[in-house]
């Protein structure tokens, strides 16, 4: 019998500058719902659960439209040692390589991102997947280089 996991809660993205990243994601439509420091007993207990040494960090929870049903974006900036390394630069790496969002108006979103000065990884492209309707896709990076994707027309694949 399978486990009974009832919903996605959050996706964690480690960042090098929490304030900069929060500002960026707010421009994408996220609402900050909490900001806190993971230290003391809470931080130490959480680190122990993950089997890693404790590292104090600042964090922020954000949601799209601040809806109860939306998943939380958990941004974390580690202190000592500070957040380091590089996000995946290729879509063929093992593990989470991108975070995708759905929109009904991808052409408008594409133009808004360009107007914000966001550098696209490639042009907005359209295709028609088997059994589907016209679908659009675009990709760009957040301030630390995490790949973000925007899709439209893929509803039939998840319903």
């Amino acid at each position: 019998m399978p486990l009974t996991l009832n919903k996605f809660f959050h996706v964690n993205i480690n960042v090098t500058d929490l304030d900069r990243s929060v500002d960026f994601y707010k421009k994408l439509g996220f609402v900050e719902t909490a900001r806190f420091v993971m230290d003391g007993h809470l931080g130490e207990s959480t680190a122990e659960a993950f089997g890693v040494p404790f590292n104090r960090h600042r964090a922020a929870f954000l949601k799209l439209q601040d809806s109860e049903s939306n998943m939380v974006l958990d941004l974390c900036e580690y202190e000592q040692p500070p957040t380091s390394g590089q996000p995946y630069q290729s879509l063929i790496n093992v593990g989470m390589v991108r975070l995708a969002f759905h929109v009904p108006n991808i052409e408008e979103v594409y133009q808004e991102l360009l107007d914000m000065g966001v550098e696209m990884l490639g042009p907005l492209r359209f295709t028609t997947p088997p059994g589907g309707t016209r679908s659009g896709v675009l990709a760009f990076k957040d301030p630390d280089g995490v790949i973000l994707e925007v899709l439209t027309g893929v509803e039939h694949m998840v319903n």
Side-chain angles (χ1 to χ4, degrees):
M1 179 172 217
L3 289 173
T4 308
L5 302 176
N6 66 341
K7 74 175 189 174
F8 280 106
F9 176 66
H10 76 94
V11 171
N12 169 235
I13 298 177
N14 292 338
V15 300
T16 57
D17 183 328
L18 184 64
D19 297 325
R20 177 186 67 178
S21 292
V22 167
D23 288 345
F24 176 82
Y25 282 96
K26 282 181 175 180
K27 289 177 184 172
L28 298 182
F30 282 84
V31 175
E32 185 175 343
T33 61
R35 192 177 289 223
F36 51 94
V37 174
M38 288 290 282
D39 61 2
H41 180 70
L42 176 61
E44 291 169 5
S45 294
T46 302
E48 188 176 345
F50 282 98
V52 297
F54 169 68
N55 183 344
R56 185 176 191 267
H57 60 279
R58 297 185 321 128
F61 282 176
L62 296 96
K63 283 186 170 187
L64 287 170
Q65 296 118 20
D66 194 20
S67 168
E68 175 77 23
S69 63
N70 279 337
M71 187 172 14
V72 173
L73 181 62
D74 175 11
L75 302 178
C76 295
E77 178 185 354
Y78 286 88
E79 293 184 352
Q80 291 300 324
T83 306
S84 63
Q86 297 295 318
Y88 292 129
Q89 299 300 305
S90 168
L91 297 181
I92 62 170
N93 286 81
V94 170
M96 183 191 269
V97 296
R98 69 186 185 275
L99 187 59
F101 304 96
H102 179 271
V103 298
N105 56 339
I106 198 163
E107 291 97 341
E108 291 174 28
V109 170
Y110 182 67
Q111 189 57 55
E112 288 173 8
L113 289 167
L114 291 175
D115 292 347
M116 288 170 48
V118 172
E119 184 179 343
M120 296 292 135
L121 296 179
L124 169 61
R125 288 292 183 233
F126 291 92
T127 186
T128 303
T133 58
R134 185 173 185 247
S135 299
V137 62
L138 62 89
F140 59 102
K141 293 182 179 179
D142 82 354
D144 285 300
V146 174
I147 297 172
L148 303 176
E149 174 184 17
V150 178
L151 302 161
T152 193
V154 294
E155 297 85 352
H156 71 282
M157 299 176 78
V158 296
N159 291 330

